[in-house]
Amino acid sequence: GHRPAGEAVASVSPEAAALSILEASREPVWAVSPEKKLILFNRAFASVLRKRYGVSPSIGDGMDVLIPPDQFPHDHAYWSELLDRAFAGRRGEHDFSWVLDDVLLHFRISCYPLDGGMTGLSFFARDITGLREAEERSYELSAFSERIFEASPIGILSFDEKGSCIFANTASSR
């Protein structure tokens, strides 16, 4: 509710509030120093690393500890290159797929600079598996519809809002 004017409000540090939000996230969140050492992570990130690589991350861990190159050379190379590109200024979103618990999952990973990128980079991963599955179903449905229209003995034409023909099956040219 509302507090009467002049009533003291308990002070919460911005760091404590940020850490609380970080831990509440179900999505992996982590930050890496310019030396490519882990400087911050949440439980969701730790869970993914345990399931995927069999490691329990700690602050200060580097790439070779987090993603053992002898066991996961492809993943290690991918993440090393992504970090190199990000620290070189090519940030943004990257899609990555992992098999966790025998299920293929797709993530969209966003990269943000900490203090202009001088002190490190933060990463946020969103599970986009449902989006990928919906895109695939939409593509399959579109291809199926196109096959049905093309197989029709009746001519079918489709026009856009400007009156331009955007689809014509073979029967429409007879």
Side-chain angles (χ1 to χ4, degrees), residues 129-148:
T129 304
L131 175 64
R132 286 290 167 96
E133 290 170 350
E135 287 172 349
E136 189 174 310
R137 283 192 301 273
S138 175
Y139 175 77
E140 289 169 357
L141 182 59
S142 176
F144 178 72
S145 297
E146 198 169 307
R147 286 192 306 272
I148 289 175

Side-chain angles (χ1 to χ4, degrees), residues 89-110:
R90 292 186 305 273
R91 300 179 184 103
E93 294 189 333
H94 309 274
D95 289 354
F96 188 74
S97 299
W98 277 312
V99 174
L100 293 176
D101 298 327
D102 297 324
V103 176
L104 178 63
L105 299 175
H106 302 281
F107 291 90
R108 177 152 298 140
I109 299 165
S110 301

Side-chain angles (χ1 to χ4, degrees), residues 118-129:
M118 301 308 292
T119 59
L121 300 168
S122 62
F123 295 87
F124 177 79
R126 291 180 310 280
D127 183 347
I128 60 166
T129 304

Side-chain angles (χ1 to χ4, degrees), residues 59-81:
I59 300 299
D61 284 349
M63 285 291 300
D64 290 350
V65 173
L66 298 172
I67 306 172
D70 55 330
Q71 296 173 353
F72 303 96
H74 174 75
D75 287 10
H76 188 275
Y78 174 87
W79 285 101
S80 293
E81 183 181 320

Side-chain angles (χ1 to χ4, degrees), residues 20-70:
S20 177
I21 292 168
L22 177 74
E23 279 305 322
S25 175
R26 292 185 188 147
E27 304 292 358
V29 179
W30 67 102
V32 178
S33 71
E35 297 79 28
K36 299 180 186 172
K37 305 272 185 191
L38 194 59
I39 56 177
L40 179 84
F41 63 93
N42 67 354
R43 280 187 282 249
F45 176 78
S47 176
V48 166
L49 259 65
R50 267 191 307 279
K51 288 178 182 178
R52 175 71 180 151
Y53 304 115
V55 299
S56 294
S58 296
I59 300 299
D61 284 349
M63 285 291 300
D64 290 350
V65 173
L66 298 172
I67 306 172
D70 55 330

